[in-house]
């Protein structure tokens, strides 16, 4: 990737130069991105769809409708303090660091070429020569931050718990590992270079010392959804195109309807959840695929279960990838060409009350199990306006009826409320253009604590 | 990466077109690469250093001096058959599939758009739209293939065991997990796209059904060595540049001396190991870093332990990254500027009898442990002419004296004999230009069975 081309002249923004000191004039942290412009990274994603730098601030957090980057590192955290001020300070630090990292800066201003030599550097350094690679960092809050399973209100937030931030029900065939579930906080880091995404989580985790520790993490590669019409439909580990009918950023009316939490949600809530207006809900499900079994099934069976052709991704009712499936058309013996238990039928909006999701999942491969089988599958991520209408009913249907379930196991799960973005220009910016954490620093999710 | 740009017009070789049938004229599988030329992939590695397709055949196997790709998936296998013919047939199938995959073809000719519909497709399909992304596949043999730890000669190969294919000694501070060690066979898949590397191992593993099963695997990202002068020196997870002094492909004399097994080695061996002439030895070590502890040490301490500056990577004796360290120069209190226990001093050829290695390692992050600490580090890979002279003495020194060892744990280990390449033009090629497995198919390592 970039390493090969940048020996002589790194393209895009190099953190190395920035680590040494302030090259940047003061600027708002917003659409203008530290005044660095939207430089491309030198990755192949030189098209407009994936510039190398995404603004950190905005009406919504980045990393949702942002064209899906190719790599993911997601971490769920347990908050280890019971002090509300410590929690706020953590979110302030995280906001500052995330703003810096996404703009191609080091986590803090003390870098490897600028002392003090007798302190650890502010940044762990392994991306010092790499461009931002489209990094976005997205924060969310789990139900347990508001009220623990035993009913404790640790931070005085219980009266701010949104009705929709439910405990997900046990779905048929769930096989969840508690060590891969839930969490008080979640951080989704997406980038086109895994080293950049891992670096972000590592440095945020480091900044959480004494306030929060990692509960579980998930690495993903090969995004399994497009979130922009400029992106090609990728394939999941079943070898099929995935996300053909996904919501796309270029369809703002449907995104507004199905992704963002409207003011009306707070008005209808039993508690004060206005802080979440303009935010979203993140559903995370680690779905292991029984790869070896799938690989021994016939092409006919695979296509019947999915309801699409494997090569083109066209619905079995005919046409090409983007042809709408015709669920009524029948073939031999009057059987529907798109089988009743096929995934495309059961997951289609017409069979789910018209609801749609913005999916943003990734393939994962976490080595192999003791029998030599791949521990691999799909890390499902979806952003929705309300999981009670937009995920739970559909997943109940799929878990019960989807023929694909024979080859799937849900092994991890999480639901998080994702607050809206930080307004452009709201971050305190220092002389070198970098945001500064103070006791009054604005932070993502601040309205929750107001 | 490529996904973003290829919606309208995939660059490089698309497997999708190839899966449908024979687009290719007959060609030798060699430097000409199926007549596909050396198309670039559309990745950022458009420079000459990493073309998108590497020849599978040649004097040496690809994936050794090949400019290090950015991603790794390596799998060690246990052979489950005791039948020598089954083992040979496996290696024939693997050779054919590897030749195909590296040239951008599917694992077999029955793809998702070409029946028979009542059989599983030959290829699992998830890279159908992706270019080869610089894929190389490199095969090796573990000591246990020749003689099991209890002395059994399962395949009649005991009299072919090279003297240098030893059991690695227990090094000071080793903390090896047997489930991450050894193996009868090893397959190293490197590519610029992890989906391509994982796909290769998956399809080879599938083809091993009934003959071998995966013993352990390792995913890597962010190569930690350059193997070409055209590549920039990357950084490891300590945040330091790694591999500045690595052997490079552009230095064939030193590569010949330190990487390839010479004919003289066989002449001196106690058994018949001529089959390995022109091959190499692969040392694999999974080195976990205690990241959190490292991140709390001062910059001064970090630099002293490494012996180089963190920003530039210059030796502490002065100069720039590629300046040779001066181990004699002293500073305050007559202490050497490059400390006696520093990594760069202890690992330097001048302190190791002049030996050098071709390192080809990767960073890894395998989630977190139960305490929330990153399970991350360096997956060390090196190709050497003889591990008895080129790895074991140095590792004994490092394990005993290197100050960095305080932050390192070796948790996995393997040593493999890597046979030479398959001569250009030696594969049987079918009408569509693809190699065909027959009972007489040539295969990597064939001389071992002659």
């Amino acid at each position: 990737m970039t390493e090969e081309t940048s020996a002589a002249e790194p393209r895009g923004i190099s953190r190395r130069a920035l680590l040494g000191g302030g090259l940047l004039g003061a600027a708002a942290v917003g659409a203008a991105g530290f005044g660095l412009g939207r430089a491309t990274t030198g990755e192949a994603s030189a098209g407009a769809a994936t510039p190398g730098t995404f603004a950190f601030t905005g009406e919504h957090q980045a990393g949702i409708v942002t064209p899906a980057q190719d790599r993911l590192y997601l971490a769920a955290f347990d908050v280890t303090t019971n002090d509300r001020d410590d929690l706020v300070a953590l979110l302030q630090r995280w906001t500052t660091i995330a703003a810096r990292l996404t703009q191609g800066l080091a986590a803090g201003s003390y870098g490897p070429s600028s002392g003090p030599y007798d302190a650890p550097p502010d940044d762990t350094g392994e991306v010092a020569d790499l461009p931002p690679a489209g990094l976005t960092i997205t924060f969310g809050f789990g139900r347990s931050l508001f009220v623990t399973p035993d009913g404790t209100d640790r931070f005085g937030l219980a009266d701010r718990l949104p009705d929709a931030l439910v405990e997900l029900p046990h779905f048929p065939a769930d096989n969840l590992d508690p060590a891969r579930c839930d969490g008080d906080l979640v951080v989704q880091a997406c980038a086109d270079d895994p080293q950049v995404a891992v670096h972000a989580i590592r440095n945020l985790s480091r900044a959480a010392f004494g306030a929060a520790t990692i509960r579980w993490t998930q690495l993903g590669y090969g995004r399994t959804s497009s979130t922009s019409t400029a992106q090609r439909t990728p394939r999941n580990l079943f070898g099929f195109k995935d996300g053909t009918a996904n919501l796309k950023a270029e369809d703002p009316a449907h995104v507004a309807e199905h992704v963002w939490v409207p003011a009306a949600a707070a008005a209808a809530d039993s508690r004060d959840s206005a802080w979440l207006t303009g935010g979203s809900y993140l559903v995370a499900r680690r779905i292991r695929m029984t790869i070896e079994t799938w690989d021994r099934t016939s092409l006919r069976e695979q296509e019947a279960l999915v309801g699409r052709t494997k090569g083109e991704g066209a619905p079995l009712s005919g046409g090409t990838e983007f042809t709408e499936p015709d669920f009524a058309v029948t073939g031999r013996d009057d059987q529907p060409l798109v089988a009743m238990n096929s995934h495309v039928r059961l997951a289609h909006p017409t069979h789910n009350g018209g609801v749609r999701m913005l999916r943003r999942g990734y393939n994962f491969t976490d080595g192999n199990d003791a029998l030599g089988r791949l521990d691999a599958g799909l890390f499902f991520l979806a952003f929705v306006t309300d999981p009670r209408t937009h995920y739970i009913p559909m997943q109940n249907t799929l878990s019960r009826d989807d023929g694909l379930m024979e080859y799937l196991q849900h092994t991890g799960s999480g639901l998080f409320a994702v607050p809206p973005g930080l307004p452009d220009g709201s971050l305190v910016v220092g002389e070198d253009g970098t945001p500064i954490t103070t006791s009054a620093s604005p932070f993502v999710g601040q309205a929750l604590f107001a």
Side-chain angles (χ1 to χ4, degrees), chain A:
Chain A
M1 321 307 265
T2 54
E3 285 82 343
E4 284 74 10
T5 54
S6 56
E9 184 179 289
R11 284 189 272 180
I13 302 165
S14 164
R15 284 184 181 77
R16 180 159 48 174
L18 300 171
L19 282 168
L23 298 182
L24 308 169
V29 182
F34 289 106
L36 296 175
R38 299 174 68 88
T40 57
T41 61
E43 305 278 339
S45 52
T50 304
T53 312
F54 292 108
F56 179 70
T57 57
E59 183 181 359
H60 310 292
Q61 287 193 67
I64 303 174
V65 294
T66 308
Q69 302 94 326
D70 223 40
R71 312 286 182 258
L72 165 82
Y73 196 41
L74 182 141
F77 289 79
D78 290 326
V79 177
T80 52
T81 179
N82 287 320
D83 185 320
R84 181 177 166 126
D85 291 341
D86 287 349
L87 174 60
V88 166
L90 169 64
L91 295 172
Q92 288 176 318
R93 289 197 299 279
W94 274 6
T95 296
T96 300
I97 292 171
R100 292 180 60 97
L101 295 180
T102 57
Q103 304 309 304
L105 298 167
S109 53
Y110 288 137
S113 312
S114 60
Y117 274 89
D118 288 316
D122 282 345
D123 187 284
T124 58
E126 70 270 26
V127 299
D129 315 303
L130 302 179
L135 176 67
T136 57
I137 297 172
T138 314
F139 298 100
F141 303 141
R143 179 181 171 93
S144 54
L145 190 73
F146 299 84
V147 53
T148 63
D150 66 5
T152 306
D153 177 8
R154 287 200 290 166
F155 304 106
L157 298 174
D159 61 350
R160 299 293 184 92
L161 176 68
D163 289 358
L165 191 58
V166 296
E167 288 187 67
L168 288 178
H170 177 87
F171 297 106
D174 266 5
N175 187 15
L176 301 178
D177 174 359
R180 295 187 190 275
C181 292
D182 305 324
D184 298 328
L185 302 169
V186 73
V187 186
Q188 171 195 275
C190 297
D192 286 326
D193 185 328
Q195 186 136 332
V196 172
V198 170
H199 171 266
I201 295 294
R202 175 183 178 184
N203 281 271
L204 292 168
S205 171
R206 190 177 176 224
F209 184 70
T213 60
I214 287 180
R215 179 180 174 87
W216 56 270
T217 61
Q218 185 64 54
L219 275 170
Y221 63 90
R223 63 180 175 78
T224 56
S225 299
S226 302
T227 57
S228 166
T229 54
Q231 296 184 303
R232 191 193 56 211
T233 309
R235 290 179 186 270
N236 60 33
L237 294 184
F238 283 151
F240 279 76
K241 292 184 182 177
D242 203 332
T244 294
N246 200 28
L247 272 179
K248 304 287 198 310
E250 291 81 359
D251 182 5
H254 281 113
V255 168
E257 178 184 351
H258 296 292
V259 178
W260 309 126
V261 176
D269 257 10
S270 59
R271 292 171 291 266
D272 177 9
S273 66
W275 62 272
L276 190 57
T277 299
S280 188
Y281 289 90
L282 170 60
V283 182
R285 303 282 291 183
R286 186 179 187 273
I287 307 176
R288 182 172 172 183
M289 295 173 165
T290 54
I291 298 277
E292 292 78 8
T293 316
W294 175 261
D295 284 349
R296 288 176 206 139
T297 61
S298 70
L299 179 57
R300 187 186 305 280
E301 172 80 355
Q302 292 183 9
E303 293 191 340
L305 290 169
V306 173
R308 292 182 179 273
T309 64
K310 192 165 189 176
E312 160 70 20
L316 294 185
S317 51
T320 59
E321 181 190 344
F322 291 101
T323 305
E324 269 296 307
D326 181 343
F327 298 113
V329 63
T330 55
R332 192 184 300 187
D333 300 332
D334 281 340
Q335 292 300 305
L337 290 179
V338 180
M340 298 305 287
N341 71 341
S342 66
H343 183 76
V344 69
R345 176 186 289 267
L346 294 169
H348 198 271
T350 57
H351 296 105
N352 290 279
V355 305
R356 300 177 65 184
M357 300 183 292
L358 185 101
R359 278 176 288 154
R360 220 174 184 288
Y362 289 84
N363 295 325
F364 72 85
T365 300
D366 290 340
N368 55 286
D369 65 19
L371 296 177
R373 297 176 304 197
L374 276 173
D375 182 5
L378 172 67
F379 189 60
F380 173 96
L381 295 174
F383 289 91
V384 296
T385 182
D386 187 331
R388 295 171 300 178
T389 54
H390 277 64
Y391 179 75
I392 294 172
M394 191 198 68
Q395 190 52 41
N396 265 319
T397 301
L398 291 177
S399 291
R400 193 177 57 234
D401 298 330
D402 185 353
L404 275 183
M405 283 301 296
E406 188 179 342
Y407 303 93
L408 299 175
Q409 279 206 339
H410 287 237
T411 57
S413 177
L415 175 65
F416 303 94
V418 176
L422 213 53
D424 288 339
S426 62
L427 283 179
V428 176
V429 172
E431 282 192 7
D432 66 350
T434 65
I436 294 172
T437 301
T438 70
S439 61
S441 289
F443 57 96
V444 174
Q446 187 165 6
L448 169 60
F449 297 86

